[in-house]
Amino acid sequence: MALLAMAAGVLHPSLGLKLGQGGGSHSLRRFRSGISSSSKIRCPSLHTPISAYPTAVENGSSKATDKIPTPKVTIDQDSNPDATVVEIAFGDRLGALLDTMNSLRNLGLHVVKANEYSDSTGKHHRFMITNRSTGRKIDDPELLETIRLTIITNMLQYHPESSSKLAMGATFGVEPPEQNVDVDIATHIDIYDDGPDKSLLVVETADRPGLLVDLVRIINDINITVQSGEFDTEGLFAKAKFHVSYRNKAIIKSLQQVLFNSLSYFLRRPTTEDASF
């Protein structure tokens, strides 16, 4: 499967943002403003001979006649201080995901541990991954987004029935999403106090390629630091939960307003309701 290719020279790293937890602090690259989302990340093309047939599955079952479950991909930087935790679920349709693990290795990553568990929603595959060159958790938001999109495009390739449930199905799937998402309605931004040293930023919005990178860039543009976080893709929607701080302190109300307005302006059409925060 084709790997994700990043547009060369578009992202400009500098010092600032950090992602980490516990004893180890992992610097996460900060990006200059003015980056257009459309030029940042190119998704791989899917191989039509594979994805065109519902029987092409990654050691799993397509179950095309059943109700299609909602695909879920979680990238967790909170729960493990030494590795990035990735979790994938698609009802009970996923097999061993050997091709997905190979795709992650091809990105220069090391799959430290892989396990599977089941609950009432189906099977969940969990991978602990590190950067092969450093042996540490992933600290580059561009690479984190590449990981996310690689997993989703693999799902579209081996489980084409997921196309109608994923935002990228409109471009790369065999069937567009079954519903159109109103970004104004889907977008919610909340900021909570989370102790004296950090705040909790929660962003829910319509999913699209490059979203994780753009959120990190916007936060950095106003000199706010991401200490740790989690990024969830659930069907057509995405949810980011970031622990953030300003100069190692929780974000004060006036800066919360700036952050809220910046994210609102970028994620949805500005409305007078934004001023009611």
Side-chain angles (χ1 to χ4, degrees):
M1 176 179 176
L3 297 179
L4 288 170
M6 316 307 292
V10 175
L11 294 174
H12 305 275
S14 61
L15 298 178
L17 199 65
K18 291 185 178 179
L19 249 177
Q21 185 183 0
S25 178
H26 306 269
S27 72
L28 180 65
R29 292 183 233 173
R30 180 179 168 191
F31 302 109
R32 189 184 306 171
S33 61
I35 304 170
S36 65
S37 59
S38 60
S39 64
K40 190 182 294 86
I41 296 177
R42 271 204 323 269
C43 295
S45 60
L46 297 180
H47 301 289
T48 303
I50 297 178
S51 64
Y53 299 99
T55 54
V57 296
E58 192 175 356
N59 299 316
S61 171
S62 67
K63 296 188 177 180
T65 59
D66 295 345
K67 181 179 179 181
I68 300 174
T70 300
K72 299 179 182 179
V73 178
T74 297
I75 296 180
D76 177 10
Q77 296 284 78
D78 268 335
S79 62
N80 190 301
D82 302 314
T84 297
V85 180
V86 175
E87 186 169 309
I88 310 168
F90 186 43
D92 60 355
R93 301 185 178 213
L94 298 180
L97 298 186
L98 298 179
D99 289 275
T100 294
M101 284 194 287
N102 286 333
S103 294
L104 295 176
R105 294 187 181 104
N106 288 337
L107 294 175
L109 306 173
H110 177 48
V111 181
V112 179
K113 183 179 180 181
N115 57 45
E116 175 187 320
Y117 71 93
S118 298
D119 60 16
S120 60
T121 65
K123 293 190 295 185
H124 299 254
H125 295 262
R126 182 177 293 165
F127 305 118
M128 295 185 182
I129 57 178
T130 59
N131 191 314
R132 190 183 302 153
S133 61
T134 64
R136 303 175 71 180
K137 69 194 304 178
I138 314 306
D139 57 8
D140 181 358
E142 186 180 79
L143 182 53
L144 289 170
E145 178 70 346
T146 303
I147 292 168
R148 184 176 80 97
L149 298 185
T150 296
I151 292 169
I152 291 174
T153 49
N154 262 23
M155 187 177 294
L156 287 169
Q157 179 178 355
Y158 291 98
H159 290 272
E161 74 274 17
S162 67
S163 175
S164 64
K165 296 288 187 176
L166 289 165
M168 284 204 298
T171 304
F172 300 102
V174 297
E175 183 180 350
E178 56 191 17
Q179 60 178 322
N180 294 320
V181 177
D182 187 316
V183 178
D184 287 344
I185 296 176
T187 299
H188 303 278
I189 303 167
D190 296 289
I191 306 171
Y192 306 97
D193 292 331
D194 194 22
D197 300 328
K198 60 186 176 180
S199 302
L200 178 64
L201 169 66
V202 180
V203 179
E204 298 179 65
T205 192
D207 187 31
R208 58 168 179 74
L211 181 59
L212 190 157
V213 176
D214 286 331
L215 290 176
V216 169
R217 173 180 59 82
I218 293 166
I219 296 169
N220 264 296
D221 281 348
I222 52 180
N223 297 315
I224 292 176
T225 299
V226 176
Q227 297 181 345
S228 61
E230 179 179 306
F231 194 91
D232 301 328
T233 307
E234 186 168 348
L236 304 177
F237 303 93
K239 182 176 183 179
K241 292 178 285 186
F242 293 145
H243 293 288
V244 295
S245 64
Y246 178 72
R247 296 181 177 178
N248 298 316
K249 297 294 182 181
I251 302 174
I252 61 175
K253 291 297 181 181
S254 59
L255 190 54
Q256 288 184 18
Q257 179 72 67
V258 173
L259 177 58
F260 177 88
N261 289 344
S262 298
L263 290 169
S264 296
Y265 185 84
F266 178 80
L267 293 173
R268 64 187 182 189
R269 295 186 300 275
T271 67
T272 55
E273 294 177 355
D274 291 347
S276 64
F277 173 76

